[in-house]
Amino acid sequence: MKNITIIKGNIAYTKTLEKFEIHEDSFIVAKDGKIEGIYADIPSKYRSFEIEDYGDRIIIPGFVDLHVHAAQYMQSGIGMTRQLLEWLNDYTYNLERKFQDEEFAEMAYEAFADKLLSVGTLRSCIFASSSTKGTQILFEALRKKGLGAYVGKVNMDTNAPGFIIESTKNSIEGTKQLIEMYKGEGLVKPIITPRFAPTSTKGLLKELGDLAVKYGIPVQSHVNENREEMEWVREIFPDNKSYIDVYDSNSLFGQTPTVMAHAIYLEEEEIEYMREKGVFIAHCPDSNINVRSGIMPLRKYIDRGLKIGLGSDVAGGHKIGMNEAIVRAVQLSKILNIMDKSYRPVEFSEAFYIGTKGGGEFFGNTGSFEDGYSLDALVIEDEKAIAQNYSILDRLEKFIYTGDDRNICARYVEGVKIG
Amino acid sequence: MKNITIIKGNIAYTKTLEKFEIHEDSFIVAKDGKIEGIYADIPSKYRSFEIEDYGDRIIIPGFVDLHVHAAQYMQSGIGMTRQLLEWLNDYTYNLERKFQDEEFAEMAYEAFADKLLSVGTLRSCIFASSSTKGTQILFEALRKKGLGAYVGKVNMDTNAPGFIIESTKNSIEGTKQLIEMYKGEGLVKPIITPRFAPTSTKGLLKELGDLAVKYGIPVQSHVNENREEMEWVREIFPDNKSYIDVYDSNSLFGQTPTVMAHAIYLEEEEIEYMREKGVFIAHCPDSNINVRSGIMPLRKYIDRGLKIGLGSDVAGGHKIGMNEAIVRAVQLSKILNIMDKSYRPVEFSEAFYIGTKGGGEFFGNTGSFEDGYSLDALVIEDEKAIAQNYSILDRLEKFIYTGDDRNICARYVEGVKIG
């Protein structure tokens, strides 16, 4: 047997939304990066392998960020009281433009990849910028760290400043080029990424959908984020029956694995359609508030069986650590409960689930410690006084609510220690 | 001239709610801890004094936390999906009880004081526990760090577990003892602290009010936090016309400087009465959500001219850094705006103001860099790539939204560098 990883500690994860599975002082064994089992005592056949013993520390699945703009990372927390369009024009587009400069892209994406690693986001769905070369630099930065990700060159050929859009032809060619380069077996893979419907011509959407289907490449974009945006989409695409239909009619909505950010406002039939097509929602709670889009009804979507993960949505969201997104998801659901007592707030286990296994499913079997899942793990170290006085679940909750990268002392992706 | 402090950098503060005062690359001069002026060039009479030059870093007023439970710090972020009473009984009271043990109190309060210092909370209004000796240990821990604070032994003689309440006599005697010890000139001073009306007998409230008036000692407590609590107060004190009146009729509401936490639900005449009496509100946004109390209408209270500061309310709030409270105050006001477009969200400058000068006024002239104010300052260091690409105000916003104690490289209280 080769490539056996064994780590030991207090193991905590969510197999279901309802509760944590806790294995105190136990061993996780993985073979070629896939989990074989969790054991209270190490089985004899594994006794000859090296064991990384994390003592009283807590081992949890790595965090998954289903929606993050790498090219906006530098401006996270800036311009937060601007309105969306003013924020895009005064800050975001100008920043994204800089990624045409390779030196800038290398500096900024290196910082971004470092940060993802430090905060324990081991898998993510990432928007780069419209620069093909810049996007390639991001692929390389993430690969070097050993992180798992889907990375998309941002496609936009209309309705944005000239310095940030491309011709339809260049946008498609750059995308195809990156697909050819990275469609192999690595942990960092391409994803088709129309910014959102309004910055795409019909022609661009059609060709992107064709690429997705031809290569079997997943898709990410934004949908139904705010009322003004939805109205704009209706104006631009009068022949489509809905925002969703703009994507769907172009093979960009579940024809290949698809994740849509926000989806704050969904009609009943849209909820049902997303469920049928297995399209993931990236719930981005901080961004929901910061840009005043509205509050996505998480409890309702959970109850309706939608596939949901969490997104930091940096830089609409300001915090890149997914523990913060877990907390804010609970907080927003509590606010909906304050407004309407019949709305049941989400539990800590539910928010943790969507921040790990919920989003992790977009990458296959990741985000949990069940047999056959990828061993993507974080080792959490807390203060002695806390560890001595509280249960493992209390300690984990405290880390999620108050901890940061300093509490993460080891990170594993597919059984390999990467930091 | 003695005791001159001169620090140099990019100076930012809020004299008014509406906007930041920015002095790039300037000098703050303080004499005996009070600010003499801000200068672009150093006046000749100060040329012989030492200048601490912080280069391109940003210098802001220290943060002020108007409501924090030191004895609950250890459990911040734990039990966050519990209901209030369950949380008190399962976690909080059991933890507070431990502060009767001097060794435990020393360990826990040392960690608390360390944390306050690290996150730049230079002034705070603190609830300790009901233990007199434990509270004395907290006074000493804060004094050693050079922090400014009002510290209250928590008075409670009814309606809580026997192991945490005291007899009225012991509660008063312990309070008097601490007042006698600490009423002098130090930076850490006593404050009268009935936990809240329901855990106080009428006799206790009356004697506490008498102590406050006799010694000229300020007062802190909780008021109108949630509907159930308000109903409970009505039941326990049927002779008082309101929750506020329970305090007011016992000289605990503005007879000496008073700060009340929460005040989420205020009738029109109560707003007016608080304004008249100059009673401060400690707005605790994270706690508002975490324990599902409701959302305090910050914009409305600002417009009505109430005195408002921010509180972390650790451990109802989970984050002790006041930058987080500033962000959440903006976010909650945006949520009220999402619900009702006529509600104007608070601006970044307004939230920063209440987190510095707004609360700072409870301590006299602190929380701003105007002439005559105490030089309570934090020096903020950000990444070179941010400093090179953004304005001072953008950089400050980024620190508030995404930064932590690692970005604070120096701390001054009354002109003395304490960390």
Side-chain angles (χ1 to χ4, degrees):
Chain A
M1 280 193 295
K2 272 190 179 172
N3 290 321
I4 294 288
T5 311
I6 308 177
I7 56 179
K8 179 168 178 280
N10 295 306
I11 296 156
Y13 62 101
T14 44
K15 186 175 168 183
T16 63
L17 286 152
E18 289 73 27
K19 69 175 177 56
F20 281 90
E21 311 292 323
I22 308 270
H23 301 260
E24 289 193 40
D25 203 26
S26 295
F27 302 82
I28 308 183
V29 177
K31 188 177 165 188
D32 294 328
K34 304 294 174 205
I35 292 170
E36 290 261 302
I38 296 176
Y39 307 95
D41 298 300
I42 193 76
S44 54
K45 63 177 169 173
Y46 298 123
R47 291 236 169 97
S48 63
F49 292 95
E50 198 185 334
I51 295 167
E52 193 84 56
D53 187 345
Y54 289 107
D56 191 37
R57 297 184 185 86
I58 301 172
I59 302 173
I60 61 171
F63 294 127
V64 178
D65 188 343
L66 275 194
H67 187 64
V68 56
H69 294 264
Q72 294 172 21
Y73 168 60
M74 185 184 267
Q75 74 176 23
S76 47
I78 293 178
M80 291 278 91
T81 50
R82 295 285 196 298
Q83 299 280 347
L84 182 61
L85 283 181
E86 195 191 1
W87 179 76
L88 282 172
N89 286 313
D90 290 359
Y91 289 93
T92 311
Y93 288 149
N94 286 315
L95 176 56
E96 290 192 19
R97 174 190 206 169
K98 292 187 185 170
F99 287 82
Q100 294 160 12
D101 172 349
E102 291 180 29
E103 207 177 312
F104 184 88
E106 269 164 25
M107 178 277 293
Y109 284 148
E110 173 74 19
F112 172 75
D114 268 343
K115 188 73 182 182
L116 276 194
L117 179 65
S118 77
V119 299
T121 301
L122 305 183
R123 307 270 179 172
S124 43
C125 288
I126 307 177
F127 283 56
S129 75
S130 54
S131 162
T132 301
K133 181 65 194 172
T135 304
Q136 191 188 338
I137 289 167
L138 177 57
F139 271 93
E140 295 303 325
L142 294 161
R143 278 163 74 123
K144 262 196 301 191
K145 304 282 173 204
L147 291 164
Y150 283 115
V151 173
K153 166 188 159 72
V154 176
N155 303 108
M156 47 198 309
D157 67 346
T158 187
N159 287 326
F163 58 76
I164 192 88
I165 64 174
E166 295 177 290
S167 67
T168 311
K169 183 166 168 287
N170 286 348
S171 189
I172 292 297
E173 274 182 8
T175 304
K176 204 188 289 182
Q177 189 185 322
L178 290 166
I179 291 173
E180 289 290 352
M181 290 175 77
Y182 295 106
K183 68 183 157 59
E185 285 302 296
L187 283 167
V188 186
K189 294 173 185 170
I191 186 166
I192 300 287
T193 308
R195 185 178 200 108
F196 67 146
T199 51
S200 318
T201 60
K202 276 187 196 180
L204 179 64
L205 292 172
K206 183 173 181 317
E207 290 199 55
L208 288 173
D210 291 347
L211 276 185
V213 171
K214 176 180 167 193
Y215 287 98
I217 301 286
V219 172
Q220 64 182 350
S221 196
H222 302 80
V223 82
N224 293 21
E225 180 175 4
N226 80 54
R227 299 287 190 191
E228 288 76 14
E229 165 219 26
M230 291 163 70
E231 186 51 39
W232 194 23
V233 172
R234 261 190 295 273
E235 283 167 22
I236 299 174
F237 300 95
D239 300 339
N240 291 98
K241 65 174 198 273
S242 69
Y243 197 160
I244 284 177
D245 187 54
V246 177
Y247 297 125
D248 194 34
S249 61
N250 289 296
S251 305
L252 294 166
F253 201 81
Q255 288 75 14
T256 59
T258 301
V259 56
M260 287 284 158
H262 307 304
I264 294 173
Y265 304 99
L266 292 180
E267 303 291 333
E268 277 303 314
E269 62 265 39
E270 292 179 312
I271 295 174
E272 191 49 33
Y273 194 66
M274 285 192 89
R275 209 189 52 73
E276 263 177 51
K277 304 281 276 191
V279 170
F280 283 70
I281 292 175
H283 174 39
C284 309
D286 261 325
S287 167
N288 280 192
I289 321 174
N290 289 342
V291 299
R292 285 189 264 158
S293 304
I295 301 179
M296 196 200 83
L298 177 55
R299 162 65 61 211
K300 180 175 168 186
Y301 293 175
I302 287 175
D303 288 351
R304 296 293 298 274
L306 294 186
K307 291 182 184 296
I308 307 165
L310 285 176
S312 67
D313 195 17
V314 157
H318 55 288
K319 292 277 196 180
I320 200 160
M322 296 308 294
N323 62 318
E324 301 276 353
I326 290 172
V327 172
R328 215 78 67 237
V330 172
Q331 288 190 315
L332 287 202
S333 81
K334 285 181 176 179
I335 286 170
L336 292 181
N337 167 267
I338 288 169
M339 305 290 175
D340 171 6
K341 295 290 170 213
S342 71
Y343 184 96
R344 190 161 61 85
V346 301
E347 298 293 329
F348 176 52
S349 66
E350 294 177 302
F352 186 89
Y353 176 99
I354 64 168
T356 52
K357 188 175 175 182
E361 286 187 351
F362 195 72
F363 297 82
N365 285 338
T366 72
S368 179
F369 290 150
E370 295 156 65
D371 291 357
Y373 273 65
S374 170
L375 178 54
D376 289 13
L378 305 176
V379 182
I380 308 303
E381 180 161 25
D382 50 4
E383 288 157 52
K384 208 188 258 183
I386 306 303
Q388 283 167 348
N389 283 285
Y390 290 97
S391 72
I392 289 165
L393 190 49
D394 284 344
R395 292 165 57 194
L396 174 55
E397 190 180 9
K398 188 181 185 64
F399 160 66
I400 296 290
Y401 269 81
T402 70
D404 62 33
D405 53 298
R406 288 171 284 192
N407 297 104
I408 305 177
C409 65
R411 299 151 186 88
Y412 291 81
V413 172
E414 298 202 348
V416 177
K417 188 171 175 178
I418 62 166
Chain B
M1 281 193 295
K2 273 190 179 174
N3 291 320
I4 295 287
T5 311
I6 307 177
I7 56 178
K8 179 168 177 282
N10 295 305
I11 297 157
Y13 62 100
T14 44
K15 186 175 166 183
T16 63
L17 286 152
E18 290 72 26
K19 70 175 177 54
F20 282 90
E21 312 292 325
I22 309 269
H23 302 260
E24 289 193 39
D25 203 26
S26 295
F27 302 82
I28 308 183
V29 177
K31 189 177 164 188
D32 294 328
K34 304 295 173 204
I35 292 170
E36 290 260 302
I38 297 177
Y39 307 95
D41 298 299
I42 193 75
S44 55
K45 62 176 171 174
Y46 299 124
R47 292 234 169 98
S48 63
F49 293 94
E50 198 186 334
I51 294 167
E52 193 84 56
D53 187 346
Y54 289 107
D56 192 37
R57 298 184 185 87
I58 301 172
I59 302 174
I60 61 171
F63 293 127
V64 178
D65 189 343
L66 275 194
H67 187 64
V68 56
H69 293 264
Q72 295 173 21
Y73 168 60
M74 185 184 266
Q75 75 175 23
S76 47
I78 293 178
M80 291 279 91
T81 51
R82 296 284 197 298
Q83 300 279 346
L84 182 61
L85 283 180
E86 195 190 1
W87 180 75
L88 282 172
N89 287 313
D90 291 359
Y91 289 93
T92 311
Y93 287 149
N94 286 315
L95 177 56
E96 289 191 20
R97 174 190 205 168
K98 292 186 185 170
F99 287 80
Q100 292 159 12
D101 172 348
E102 291 180 31
E103 207 176 314
F104 184 88
E106 270 164 25
M107 178 276 292
Y109 284 146
E110 173 73 17
F112 171 76
D114 268 343
K115 189 72 181 181
L116 276 194
L117 179 65
S118 77
V119 299
T121 301
L122 304 183
R123 307 269 178 171
S124 43
C125 288
I126 307 177
F127 283 55
S129 76
S130 54
S131 162
T132 301
K133 181 66 195 170
T135 303
Q136 190 189 338
I137 289 167
L138 177 56
F139 271 92
E140 295 302 326
L142 295 161
R143 279 164 74 124
K144 261 196 300 192
K145 304 283 173 204
L147 291 163
Y150 283 114
V151 174
K153 165 188 160 75
V154 177
N155 304 107
M156 46 199 309
D157 66 347
T158 187
N159 287 326
F163 59 76
I164 193 86
I165 64 175
E166 297 177 289
S167 67
T168 311
K169 183 164 167 288
N170 285 348
S171 189
I172 292 296
E173 274 182 8
T175 305
K176 205 188 291 184
Q177 188 184 322
L178 290 166
I179 291 173
E180 289 290 352
M181 290 175 78
Y182 294 105
K183 68 181 159 60
E185 285 302 295
L187 283 167
V188 187
K189 295 173 183 169
I191 185 167
I192 300 287
T193 307
R195 187 180 200 104
F196 67 147
T199 52
S200 318
T201 60
K202 277 188 198 181
L204 180 64
L205 292 172
K206 184 173 180 317
E207 291 198 55
L208 288 173
D210 290 348
L211 276 185
V213 171
K214 178 181 166 192
Y215 288 96
I217 300 286
V219 172
Q220 63 181 350
S221 195
H222 302 80
V223 81
N224 292 20
E225 180 174 4
N226 80 53
R227 298 286 191 194
E228 289 74 16
E229 165 220 26
M230 290 163 70
E231 185 52 40
W232 194 23
V233 172
R234 264 190 293 273
E235 282 168 22
I236 299 173
F237 300 95
D239 299 338
N240 291 96
K241 64 174 196 271
S242 69
Y243 196 158
I244 283 176
D245 187 53
V246 176
Y247 297 126
D248 194 33
S249 61
N250 288 296
S251 306
L252 294 165
F253 201 80
Q255 288 75 14
T256 58
T258 301
V259 56
M260 287 284 157
H262 308 305
I264 295 173
Y265 303 100
L266 292 181
E267 303 291 334
E268 277 303 314
E269 62 265 38
E270 292 178 312
I271 295 174
E272 192 48 33
Y273 194 65
M274 286 191 88
R275 208 188 53 73
E276 263 176 52
K277 303 282 276 189
V279 170
F280 283 70
I281 291 175
H283 175 38
C284 308
D286 261 325
S287 167
N288 280 191
I289 320 173
N290 289 342
V291 300
R292 284 190 265 158
S293 303
I295 301 179
M296 195 201 83
L298 177 55
R299 162 65 60 211
K300 181 176 168 185
Y301 293 174
I302 287 176
D303 288 350
R304 296 294 298 272
L306 294 186
K307 290 181 185 296
I308 307 165
L310 285 176
S312 67
D313 195 17
V314 157
H318 55 288
K319 292 276 196 181
I320 200 161
M322 295 308 294
N323 61 317
E324 301 277 353
I326 290 171
V327 173
R328 215 76 67 238
V330 172
Q331 288 190 315
L332 287 202
S333 81
K334 285 181 176 179
I335 286 170
L336 292 180
N337 167 266
I338 288 169
M339 306 290 175
D340 171 5
K341 294 292 171 212
S342 71
Y343 184 96
R344 190 163 60 88
V346 301
E347 298 294 329
F348 176 52
S349 65
E350 295 176 303
F352 186 90
Y353 176 100
I354 65 169
T356 52
K357 188 175 174 181
E361 286 187 350
F362 195 72
F363 297 82
N365 285 339
T366 71
S368 179
F369 290 150
E370 294 155 67
D371 292 357
Y373 273 65
S374 170
L375 177 56
D376 289 13
L378 305 176
V379 182
I380 309 304
E381 180 160 25
D382 50 5
E383 289 157 52
K384 209 187 260 183
I386 306 303
Q388 282 168 347
N389 284 285
Y390 291 97
S391 71
I392 289 165
L393 191 49
D394 284 343
R395 291 165 59 195
L396 174 56
E397 189 180 9
K398 188 181 185 65
F399 160 67
I400 295 291
Y401 269 82
T402 70
D404 61 32
D405 53 299
R406 288 171 284 192
N407 297 104
I408 306 177
C409 64
R411 299 152 186 88
Y412 291 80
V413 173
E414 299 201 347
V416 177
K417 188 170 176 179
I418 61 167

